[in-house]
Amino acid sequence: MRAKKLHWTTLAIFILLLGGSRVSQAFDFGGLLEDLAKPKAEPEKQEAPASAPPAEPAKKEQDGGLIGLGESLGLIDKKSGDLLKSGVSTVKAFQPIGYEEEKAIGGSLAVQVFNRFGGPYKNEALTRYVNLVGQAVADVSDRPDIEYHFAILNTEHPNAFATPGGYVFVSVGLLKLLRNEAELAGVLGHEIAHITHKHALKTIQRGQALKGLTSLTLTAMNKDMGLFDKVIDEVSEILFTRGLDKDLEYEADKFGTEYAFRMGYNADGLKNFIKVLGQSHKGESSIFSSTHPSPGDRLGHLAGESGRYKGHVLYPVLTKRYKSETQGRL
Amino acid sequence: MAMKRLLVIVTLMLSILALPAAALAETLYVKKSGTKLQSEASASSKVVETLASGTAVEVVKKSGRFYQVTAAGGKKGWIFKFKLTAKAPSGGGGGGSLLDALGGQQMAAKESASGSSIRGLSPISEQHAKSKGISKESINAVKAMEEFKVSAQEVDAFLKAGKLGEYAQ
């Protein structure tokens, strides 16, 4: 009897052990998930209800459940119940903005970037270099399957921007502050992360311009240019004046660092550039100072991040190549 | 007798636990079309095949920054691990939602198909810029930015020269 009991106990322990090990093995993708899960910032989770399709059971319970219960108990009249139900479905059913719409929004904002921030810096060799670094980093991002375009802005202010749909900008002033290719990869990685994580789109979806709508389609915007105008006005105010939520900037810093590391650069590139920006008087004239958290706060959030990247200090920063690619072109 | 049986059970348990991870058929997906499947865990090795975005591969072995995989059709080779994602393509099924919840990579093959067909500045963007009185130069600058291309071969040569990506040592 005792031996039998012992067998069952051993079997139970085994099942627990097996279960645990299988779960951990099943989710171990050689660091792929581990690498990604760690930098994930909270906002992504908070925004899930707005961008992700609602889970059916939850919808059913909310639509029919509590409101229906309120109606049947006489706490809510039928009309209010219907209004509440439609409100719930409007909030929950907002369709994520599609790529075509994203590109239209991003293209309009890209035109504004050139219009507001010095226009294009015309140097083909330098543009090619920035495109090569940017494309390499985008290729190992979480969204490598869209086209990315990189341009240099003709302004001495150290600025960088990303607009939805794959448009990335760095200013000539910023390139002058950088000391090596790893720093450039980190800066471009930060901008690419805004696109891969659809930060601007998520901000638009939460904004006033789309209030009460369930989707944003190109057909609807073509029919109503006023709607498109409202969306662009709202998002340009955020990107160029007020700035995105701080948490989204911290998230872009983390993923920018991650992408540069994946490409094989020393993972401290972005961190080191933020330090330089913080120390430079030029930093004050940068769009970063008005639209981003302070360099101190950004460094605080990044502190410890590079510790996650084993052996990254041995990875190249490519100072020599950066100097030779930019010499006489800035 | 009881002890002997217990010993057999424990041995059986330990041998199951010691099974290699590869035996558990881990499926990953190619992130971007043109991803190289190579004969060795080296970027300089022979290209066995180029894979399309969303292609499922079974991981056989892991070695540094490369994974040995078996692709659909049975071809075996090595892929630079950051060209793979745990997230299944849209509509492809296979545990995507659970991995999403765990913070898996966010990309879908569906987007790739639409992404490649949508090119150039959208007419609505141009119309909007004109209505706002934005100069033609700024509109043309975006068009020039979109037309500026670097090929996959150029990127590859650039990585090789800098010992980056799959060429990193």
Side-chain angles (χ1 to χ4, degrees), chain B residues 46-159:
Chain B
K46 192 184 153 200
V47 177
V48 177
E49 197 176 16
T50 53
L51 304 174
S53 170
T55 303
V57 295
E58 297 289 323
V59 178
V60 178
K61 199 173 166 185
K62 295 168 181 177
S63 174
R65 291 163 78 84
F66 280 84
Y67 286 176
Q68 189 181 32
V69 301
T70 306
K75 279 198 177 166
K76 212 182 223 185
W78 294 83
I79 297 182
F80 179 47
K81 73 174 181 178
F82 295 117
K83 298 286 175 89
L84 296 170
T85 176
K87 164 121 173 143
S90 300
S97 56
L98 182 57
L99 291 166
D100 276 354
L102 290 168
Q105 299 184 59
Q106 303 292 312
M107 62 84 62
K110 195 182 158 203
E111 185 166 72
S112 173
S114 58
S116 58
S117 60
I118 301 163
R119 290 204 169 100
L121 187 62
S122 173
I124 196 173
S125 306
E126 199 164 341
Q127 197 184 331
H128 172 81
K130 283 177 185 164
S131 74
K132 293 278 174 185
I134 294 175
S135 71
K136 188 100 182 129
E137 285 73 34
S138 296
I139 297 170
N140 289 339
V142 176
K143 288 181 178 174
M145 180 185 188
E146 289 190 332
E147 280 161 18
F148 196 97
K149 306 270 182 214
V150 287
S151 68
Q153 289 74 20
E154 277 179 279
V155 175
D156 197 62
F158 183 74
L159 297 183

Side-chain angles (χ1 to χ4, degrees), chain A:
Chain A
M1 188 64 187
R2 204 174 156 193
K4 208 169 184 180
K5 203 174 172 187
L6 190 63
H7 285 170
W8 283 114
T9 314
T10 317
L11 197 63
I13 294 169
F14 170 68
I15 290 167
L16 281 172
L17 274 171
L18 187 65
S21 74
R22 287 297 169 266
V23 166
S24 63
Q25 281 181 357
F27 295 144
D28 174 21
F29 295 98
L32 270 182
L33 276 185
E34 189 191 332
D35 284 348
L36 289 163
K38 281 183 186 170
K40 207 94 181 172
E42 284 304 313
E44 196 73 42
K45 289 175 193 162
Q46 288 165 2
E47 284 157 23
S51 57
E56 276 312 311
K59 187 177 188 291
K60 226 174 179 180
E61 193 180 312
Q62 282 198 35
D63 284 359
L66 286 175
I67 299 169
L69 186 66
E71 278 178 27
S72 60
L73 290 174
L75 298 172
I76 307 169
D77 62 63
K78 179 83 176 73
K79 201 177 165 188
S80 308
D82 287 344
L83 274 173
L84 278 170
K85 282 177 192 171
S86 73
V88 167
S89 77
T90 301
V91 170
K92 292 189 74 174
F94 193 94
Q95 296 298 306
I97 296 171
Y99 180 63
E100 205 177 350
E101 289 76 18
E102 176 182 356
K103 195 130 192 323
I105 294 166
S108 283
L109 293 167
V111 172
Q112 291 207 17
V113 170
F114 279 124
N115 192 49
R116 291 172 181 228
F117 302 99
Y121 184 75
K122 291 176 183 168
N123 185 305
E124 189 167 339
L126 196 59
T127 303
R128 182 162 302 280
Y129 177 59
V130 170
N131 269 268
L132 283 167
V133 177
Q135 191 56 57
V137 174
D139 279 348
V140 290
S141 75
D142 302 323
R143 205 182 171 200
D145 56 339
I146 62 165
E147 285 193 357
Y148 288 84
H149 310 284
F150 302 87
I152 305 167
L153 296 168
N154 191 16
T155 169
E156 289 298 319
H157 300 304
N159 294 334
F161 302 94
T163 74
Y167 302 92
V168 178
F169 304 84
V170 287
S171 71
V172 74
L174 184 142
L175 293 175
K176 282 180 183 175
L177 273 186
L178 298 175
R179 296 165 302 181
N180 56 54
E181 197 173 296
E183 290 183 357
L184 175 60
V187 169
L188 294 175
H190 171 101
E191 299 305 330
I192 290 165
H194 279 312
I195 296 167
T196 62
H197 284 72
K198 302 185 177 178
H199 287 159
L201 294 186
K202 287 171 183 170
T203 306
I204 293 170
Q205 283 178 212
R206 287 201 309 257
Q208 290 298 313
L210 297 186
K211 214 171 182 181
L213 294 178
T214 56
S215 65
L216 183 70
T217 64
L218 211 54
T219 315
M221 291 189 286
N222 272 320
K223 272 187 193 162
D224 178 7
M225 272 302 281
L227 172 64
F228 190 70
D229 286 354
K230 254 163 67 180
V231 169
I232 301 301
D233 288 350
E234 188 171 277
V235 72
S236 57
E237 159 77 8
I238 291 165
L239 289 185
F240 307 137
T241 312
R242 279 194 284 135
L244 290 163
D245 282 355
K246 282 182 177 183
D247 286 338
L248 298 181
E249 292 299 344
Y250 299 140
E251 187 174 64
D253 281 344
K254 285 175 185 172
F255 278 92
T257 300
E258 166 74 22
Y259 296 161
F261 168 76
R262 287 183 194 172
M263 192 25 76
Y265 289 104
N266 182 308
D268 283 337
L270 179 62
K271 193 172 88 178
N272 290 338
F273 166 69
I274 295 170
K275 272 185 202 164
V276 169
L277 187 71
Q279 287 156 4
S280 163
H281 71 276
K282 281 186 174 179
E284 292 157 21
S285 64
S286 164
I287 191 89
F288 293 131
S289 63
S290 58
T291 61
H292 284 61
S294 71
D297 284 348
R298 292 176 72 183
L299 290 172
H301 277 79
L302 271 177
E305 282 298 312
S306 58
R308 299 192 313 114
Y309 303 114
K310 286 176 201 159
H312 82 100
V313 287
L314 301 173
Y315 286 14
V317 293
L318 299 179
T319 305
K320 209 171 158 187
R321 179 155 84 174
Y322 185 79
K323 299 281 180 212
S324 75
E325 289 286 348
T326 56
Q327 201 167 30
R329 294 170 180 163
L330 290 173

